[in-house]
Amino acid sequence: MPAIEILGLEKTYTVGFWRKRPKQALKSLHLTVEEGEIFGFLGPNGAGKTTTLKLLMGLVFPSAGSARILGMTIDDPRMKAQIGFLPEQPYFYDYLTARELLDYYGQLSGVDASIRSRRVDAVLHRVGLPDVGDVQLRKFSKGMLQRVGIAQAILHDPKLVFFDEPMSGLDPMGRREVRDLMEQLKHEGKTVFFSTHILSDAEALCDRVAIIHQGELRGVGAVADLTSSVHGQVELVWQGTAVPASMRGLGAECHVTGDTVRAVLPEDKQDAAIEILRRERLRLISVTPVRASLEDYFVQKLQPAVSVGARS
Amino acid sequence: MSTRIGHIAANTFREAVRDRVLYNLIAFALLLSGAAILVGQISIDIERLVVINLGLTAVSLFGIVIAIFIGIGLVSKEIEKRTLYTVLSRPVRRWEFIVGKFFGLAGTLFVNTFLMAIGVFGALLYVSRHFQRADAWVLVALYFIILEFVIITALALLFSSFSSPLLSAVFAFALFVIGSFSEDLRGFAAIAHGVTHWLATGAAYLVPNFSALNVISSVAHQQPISGHLILYNTAYALIYATMALCGAVVIFEHRDLK
Ligand SMILES: Nc1ncnc2c1ncn2[C@@H]1O[C@H](COP(=O)(O)OP(=O)(O)OP(=O)(O)O)[C@@H](O)[C@H]1O
Ligand SMILES: [Mg+2]
């Protein structure tokens, strides 16, 4: 049974006060997330990531389509007892202390009174807030609130967590801690579904990612599979200051520094380029493949749909 | 299920207390003791009349103001601040949230009224040195005041579930004022003709009947209240509040939380 099964979810908002017009935030999304995965949901600002998560949490209602989480419908309270959710820029009842808030959420999630306070302490410790449990949340900084947000999402030991931009607002240490936490969750057999636009985080963590742009799914798969589909490039370095005209003809991007030239060109032009250098009697220093990053794939996928089709 | 409603209600109560809502009791105490001392020179009968009239009117107005000003924000504030996201992503149904909020505010008002009632009886004891049998009717008047709060809380919650806090406050306050004159409105409907008759009748039955719930002046004049009225008012308030709450639930159940 997949952890998350999204079947054609769609969301159209109506915007405008006087003249209402529809704004399609999410176009028929189909997506399956397996149990035990760390799944990254990537896309630029306004892509529809938060909208998707709000649909899954039952906070907004779909215009079409449906979804199942842990095999249950999205309005099933039994399912909700087994998931955790960190909203984007979380905000909490600021008249409560962190400990009171977590205790209240534990009550709502049905955490037994006998283990609740121990659980609250453990989770505060886990997100790096062991000393501020008795401070009112109105005195928390943005990053501290983000940590409380993560704490409340994992408080009731859910099987599946949804994080909307978990790293936002965190300092470098905090980011690393959250990355570690997500990996621990995976080791505990949990499923993690998170949205982000920090591609290096996704690349380092995710078993699979999906890329969404303008409400439309543009690609889904393991990071390695996605990046290998991006046309590879090689970097050639030779001695001298001369760039043969025929080299530019191959589509090489050349940079002259001191007495060496660096050229980046498509992989399939490598042999032709080396041939040119030999003919010109230029001394080749190195040939290195340039590994395509998730960013390259991302940039490629965000081109207008037409040109993506033309390239592949 | 009921435990979650209880937790939400308890948290709503805690919020009101931490927002220093109960500080209104200080203003109330000052008002009442000031009045009791000021009228201390006049004859005992007038003193009782003033204390009961003034005390109960203040109890009801303070409570109405609290009910409206907290009630209108109960839902809309949580939507606006997005504190609801982490509540509704838990096994909490939307109707449980509304009902929990309702009981939380109603409970706050009950505690507030209870403390004020102690003040009213204290002032009564101060001006007339001993309780009389007719003072029991003051309890009935207080009960009716609580029924008013129940209705206003449900209405504020209903408005809060679909409109902005400011508009909700205007609606709720307007309904309170019109409701206080509902007897007159019914009288007017009876003598009106044609379209006016139907409109006035419709309005008279739609607005909460606060005329029947307001027995302050008859209690002040030591007139007894019929058991029939107690029964009628109880049933009326429960049905009215339940319908308003159901309306709030129906609207909220279908609302996108932006
Ligand atoms: N309540 C709303 N009413 C109208 N339009 C909305 C609403 N919420 C989102 N949108 C629109 O839906 C689109 C997707 O928004 P969404 O918040 O899902 O983006 P996102 O991928 O989370 O972006 P970000 O990375 O900036 O958080 C945007 O174009 C946005 O303008
Ligand atoms: Mg977002």
Side-chain angles (χ1 to χ4, degrees), chain B residues 43 53 71 73 110 113 131 134-135 137 155 229:
Chain B
S43 83
N53 246 328
F110 182 81
T113 311
F131 287 127
D135 292 344
W137 298 119
L155 279 175
L229 186 66

Side-chain angles (χ1 to χ4, degrees), chain A residues 49-227:
Chain A
K49 305 181 293 293
T50 299
T51 302
T52 306
L53 283 165
K54 281 164 83 175
L55 285 166
L56 291 176
M57 294 301 109
L59 300 172
V60 297
F61 298 103
S63 312
S66 65
R68 295 180 82 77
I69 297 175
L70 301 172
M72 291 172 259
T73 54
I74 50 179
D75 55 359
D76 194 328
R78 283 172 306 158
M79 174 275 283
K80 293 206 167 159
Q82 300 175 44
I83 63 162
F85 174 49
L86 164 73
E88 169 177 69
Q89 295 163 13
Y91 192 80
F92 305 103
Y93 302 109
D94 55 12
Y95 52 90
L96 298 181
T97 67
R99 204 182 299 276
E100 285 169 338
L101 180 89
L102 293 174
D103 191 62
Y104 175 49
Y105 281 170
Q107 291 173 336
L108 294 184
S109 284
V111 177
D112 213 61
S114 59
I115 55 166
R116 210 158 50 225
S117 86
R118 226 175 325 128
R119 195 64 85 63
V120 168
D121 282 333
V123 93
L124 276 172
H125 200 86
R126 199 165 175 187
V127 298
L129 299 173
D131 306 322
V132 289
D134 296 317
V135 176
Q136 272 195 342
L137 291 164
R138 63 164 56 101
K139 298 183 185 133
F140 273 43
S141 73
K142 186 171 59 153
M144 288 160 81
L145 281 178
Q146 183 78 5
R147 288 165 190 257
V148 174
I150 292 170
Q152 60 81 32
I154 59 174
L155 170 72
H156 44 294
D157 196 29
K159 275 191 191 162
L160 164 61
V161 291
F162 295 86
F163 291 157
D164 199 351
E165 297 188 21
M167 324 282 188
S168 95
L170 293 179
D171 53 30
M173 275 310 291
R175 281 165 190 251
R176 139 90 46 75
E177 284 163 22
V178 170
R179 272 206 300 271
D180 292 348
L181 178 102
M182 288 203 262
E183 271 173 347
Q184 285 163 18
L185 289 174
K186 179 186 154 88
H187 283 299
E188 292 164 18
K190 314 269 152 80
T191 312
V192 180
F193 182 94
F194 77 104
S195 84
T196 185
H197 25 107
I198 305 170
L199 296 171
S200 56
D201 286 337
E203 206 161 4
L205 271 171
C206 295
D207 296 300
R208 289 195 306 144
V209 297
I211 291 180
I212 170 174
H213 181 43
Q214 294 175 343
E216 213 172 348
L217 190 66
R218 291 289 173 85
V220 67
V223 174
D225 293 343
L226 293 182
T227 50

Side-chain angles (χ1 to χ4, degrees), chain B residues 212-231:
Chain B
L213 283 164
N214 187 344
V215 292
I216 294 176
S217 73
S218 49
V219 165
H221 289 101
Q222 310 198 1
Q223 289 159 2
I225 297 162
S226 72
H228 172 78
L229 186 66
I230 297 177
L231 212 64

